[in-house]
Amino acid sequence: MHLAYPAVLSALLFCTGVYGVLARRNAILVLMSVELMLNAVNLNLVAFDVWLSRTAEETLHSGQALTLFTIAIAAAEIGIGLAIVLAVYRNRGTSDIDKLRDTAEGRGSGTDGDAPAAEKAEATA
């Protein structure tokens, strides 16, 4: 098999993952898109390892070993990421990234986030 086939497939998978990270608003879908990008990189690592092992006299299979490390790191990343998303969903009631960013910016600004509460307290007093 030619090297172009897995390289093109990997490029398509990576572009799909980038689109998912940039366009999606749900945190779980963003994590899935990151996993898709990591799998595209793994596909490239294995394809180039096989291609280079045909030309080299000694086969170290370093691309396949690096792929195993990448899979292990990706599994840890998705486990921690899902734990964070579940904790945020329990506290805020949503996993929408834009809403989470807006609430963080509103709370972090100090006077802007407290201004409506201060006006409400003055109106009732």
Side-chain angles (χ1 to χ4, degrees):
M1 178 164 48
H2 295 287
L3 181 63
Y5 297 133
V8 168
L9 179 62
S10 175
L12 290 174
L13 284 174
F14 193 83
C15 290
T16 305
V18 168
Y19 174 74
V21 167
L22 295 176
R24 298 293 177 186
R25 300 293 177 237
N26 190 350
I28 295 175
L29 292 177
V30 170
L31 286 174
M32 289 174 61
S33 297
V34 169
E35 288 294 319
L36 195 61
M37 292 188 319
L38 286 172
N39 286 331
V41 170
N42 288 338
L43 179 62
N44 254 345
L45 284 171
V46 171
F48 277 99
D49 180 52
V50 169
W51 182 67
L52 289 174
S53 69
R54 288 182 184 172
T55 60
E57 294 176 7
E58 296 181 16
T59 56
L60 295 175
H61 298 295
S62 58
Q64 294 177 15
L66 190 58
T67 298
L68 289 176
F69 285 116
T70 307
I71 290 171
I73 290 171
E77 174 257 337
I78 201 70
I80 292 171
L82 281 176
I84 290 171
V85 167
L86 285 174
V88 168
Y89 182 77
R90 286 182 183 165
N91 287 336
R92 304 280 174 100
T94 184
S95 64
D96 188 7
I97 294 173
D98 286 337
K99 290 181 183 176
L100 295 176
R101 184 180 57 213
D102 292 341
T103 56
E105 288 173 355
R107 290 183 181 198
S109 62
T111 59
D112 294 337
D114 297 334
E119 292 174 4
K120 189 183 287 185
E122 289 176 9
T124 58

